[in-house]
Amino acid sequence: MKIAKKISIVTLAITLLGLTSCELDGGESLNGASTGSISSDLSRGELPQAVSGVLSDMRVRLATQVDVQSILGREYYYFTNSDPRFEGDVVTGNLDNNTFYTTAPWGARYAAIKDINLALQGLENTTSDFSAEEIAATRGVLNTLKAHEFLMLSNNQAGNGIRLDVSDPDNLGPIVDYTSALTAIFNLLSEAATDLENGGSDFPFELGSGYTGFNTPSSFLKFNKALNARVEAYRGNYANVLTLLADSFINMNGDLNLGAYHTFSLAGADLANPLFIALNQEANVRVAHQSFVTDAEANDSRVDKVVLRDSPREASGLIGTHDVWIYQSNTQSVPVIRNEELILLYAEANMVSSPSDAVMAINVIRNAAGLAAYTGGTSEMELTNEILMQRRYSLFGEGHRWVDMRRFNKLDELPNDRSTDNVPSAVPIPANENI
């Protein structure tokens, strides 16, 4: 596949969504720098373009992945007149390996990874006057973002596996299993952390408003550690989760929304938030699974993430009475990771070794939601169920519920509203990956 050199990263990524193979050429900058220019000798002037392009491409098809994961996690349904497959294939668990909800997130994530690989190659080949600290800091950021994209892929594909070695489109590496993928992601984040520690005091580029508070090597390192705490929780390495959280931006007394975000705008060729839908729509609508409302404790303020519709919306026997209202404008930011998740990771990591610390963290979340302190049992099973309940409401619609229920072997506890419905454990690998 050959693509003209003078197109934007966003345009490139959208073009690549129709492709399911990892054989991507990708990597154009937002302002027109060519792939050859970036990869052969990354200049100081091209570096900010390359980084901003990566951050932009990380948002492409984000909504498709979040929608599929949220539907599979029975958080909400997505009804759209233009395509019944969301309430058909996805809710029934009969997932097609050659359609948009499978191929688009796969292609978009690998397009972003290709952008990163080109920038890393260019950084290695650069003849510009970057200091050793600037090179280390840049490499640390790029590999942290690359690890995030691999984690997004692994969250979708789970036991079906992903490709890690995609640097050479003519010689792709093998599909690796979920355990191997998580290990590689952990190692990549750890290597990036070392680079950030050696990265001096400033970046030779701007990260943008989505990374406010994480725009120096030392502060971005806290974001890196937070991501790796998530990975280690997925791997069940709870002692290391606590070590990583201690070096992250976790703050028990701080703003629960503190974190890193994907940003959106209506300016020029930028992207609007694709997860925003106005209330009481009919043609396209995200409606909460009814259990989100009925299972909530009284006075839980997080139920405000859904709003009662003027009239119910039905599709193929599925009914929704409440619109999803997490994002209330088409320019609102979408979290990559935030403090509320970190506090819940702290609770999870302590639920066996220090139940009292787990309960303390649980109560931070409960009290912030207007709930009384936890009074239940402190066995591993009881605390697991409480933490999963708090994660369900705190992280609603952010792509966690299906992953959480899968990693605790509880997928069979998710509700099915029709006899034909089923919750699969993974999204299939696209058909033309030639595995």
Side-chain angles (χ1 to χ4, degrees):
M1 175 183 69
K2 299 298 181 184
I3 297 177
K5 297 292 187 182
K6 296 294 183 178
I7 57 177
S8 74
I9 276 190
V10 172
T11 303
L12 175 72
I14 293 171
T15 300
L16 291 172
L17 295 179
L19 304 172
T20 57
S21 171
C22 287
E23 299 180 19
L24 307 175
D25 281 342
E28 309 295 340
S29 85
L30 285 171
N31 295 313
S34 71
T35 57
S37 174
I38 288 175
S39 62
S40 65
D41 185 358
L42 183 65
S43 71
R44 186 173 289 274
E46 289 168 336
L47 177 57
Q49 301 170 22
V51 172
S52 65
V54 168
L55 294 173
S56 179
D57 279 2
M58 287 172 65
R59 307 169 304 169
V60 174
R61 286 297 191 173
L62 177 65
T64 303
Q65 180 159 355
V66 171
D67 282 336
V68 169
Q69 291 176 340
S70 297
I71 294 167
L72 294 178
R74 298 302 188 254
E75 297 185 275
Y76 63 70
Y77 294 132
Y78 182 30
F79 301 150
T80 171
N81 289 350
S82 62
D83 200 318
R85 284 174 287 185
F86 282 111
E87 73 260 18
D89 299 9
V90 181
V91 183
T92 63
N94 184 25
L95 301 178
D96 189 333
N97 68 353
N98 194 31
T99 196
F100 74 97
Y101 54 72
T102 299
T103 62
W106 176 280
R109 301 288 67 77
Y110 276 115
I113 289 167
K114 184 63 177 179
D115 294 335
I116 294 167
N117 283 340
L118 288 167
L120 286 168
Q121 184 180 349
L123 193 66
E124 184 177 343
N125 295 332
T126 188
T127 59
S128 294
D129 60 343
F130 293 114
S131 69
E133 288 181 337
E134 288 176 322
I135 289 175
T138 302
R139 189 167 55 230
V141 167
L142 290 172
N143 277 326
T144 298
L145 299 179
K146 183 177 178 180
H148 174 268
E149 296 299 273
F150 277 133
L151 186 59
M152 291 282 284
L153 285 160
S154 286
N155 282 348
N156 242 22
Q157 312 307 136
N160 288 330
I162 65 170
R163 292 190 197 277
L164 291 168
D165 183 3
V166 293
S167 57
D168 181 356
D170 297 320
N171 186 29
L172 296 172
I175 297 286
V176 303
D177 63 33
Y178 187 54
T179 299
S180 298
L182 289 181
T183 299
I185 293 166
F186 167 78
N187 289 336
L188 185 57
L189 284 167
S190 299
E191 293 166 9
T194 299
D195 276 330
L196 291 165
E197 289 166 353
N198 296 320
S201 58
D202 296 295
F203 290 130
F205 51 82
E206 297 292 334
L207 276 170
S209 61
Y211 289 82
T212 298
F214 306 101
N215 49 12
T216 65
S218 60
S219 58
F220 191 86
L221 178 60
K222 295 179 183 293
F223 165 69
N224 169 287
K225 298 285 188 176
L227 275 181
N228 221 357
R230 181 193 286 172
V231 174
E232 287 297 82
Y234 288 1
R235 298 172 77 203
N237 295 334
Y238 287 138
N240 207 22
V241 171
L242 295 174
T243 299
L244 290 161
L245 287 175
D247 293 330
S248 75
F249 61 90
I250 189 173
N251 186 342
M252 291 290 175
N253 301 309
D255 182 356
L256 297 183
N257 289 317
L258 173 68
Y261 286 79
H262 300 290
T263 58
F264 302 88
S265 81
L266 304 181
D270 202 7
L271 299 179
N273 181 342
L275 290 165
F276 166 76
I277 295 178
L279 297 175
N280 293 302
Q281 299 300 298
E282 290 294 332
N284 298 295
V285 58
R286 294 181 177 92
V287 291
H289 192 278
Q290 198 62 30
S291 63
F292 181 77
V293 177
T294 58
D295 291 352
E297 291 187 52
N299 302 316
D300 190 334
S301 64
R302 294 168 294 185
V303 178
D304 290 347
K305 294 178 181 180
V306 303
V307 175
L308 182 66
R309 289 176 55 82
D310 290 345
S311 60
R313 176 70 157 82
E314 185 273 340
S316 304
L318 303 171
I319 299 174
T321 60
H322 289 70
D323 282 331
V324 173
W325 196 233
I326 302 169
Y327 305 106
Q328 300 174 19
S329 80
N330 56 6
T331 58
Q332 190 170 341
S333 299
V334 172
V336 177
I337 193 167
R338 56 192 182 89
N339 189 37
E340 191 162 8
E341 180 187 351
L342 301 189
I343 294 171
L344 288 164
L345 288 175
Y346 180 88
E348 181 181 333
N350 276 297
M351 64 187 180
V352 174
S353 61
S354 181
S356 61
D357 284 329
V359 171
M360 178 274 295
I362 288 168
N363 285 336
V364 169
I365 301 302
R366 288 180 62 89
N367 295 162
L371 300 176
Y374 176 68
T375 58
T378 57
S379 70
E380 181 179 359
M381 181 183 69
E382 289 167 317
L383 287 176
T384 295
N385 289 335
E386 173 65 15
I387 289 165
L388 286 174
M389 183 72 163
Q390 298 311 314
R391 287 180 65 88
R392 177 184 184 184
Y393 284 86
S394 286
L395 307 178
F396 174 71
E398 295 180 26
H400 294 277
R401 179 68 171 167
W402 178 54
V403 177
D404 287 343
M405 296 299 276
R406 180 177 64 209
R407 63 193 181 94
F408 283 99
N409 298 313
K410 289 177 175 286
L411 288 179
D412 60 353
E413 296 182 18
L414 292 172
N416 290 307
D417 293 337
R418 303 172 301 191
S419 61
T420 56
D421 295 344
N422 179 58
V423 179
S425 62
V427 173
I429 293 172
N432 70 344
E433 275 301 303
N434 301 318
I435 58 174

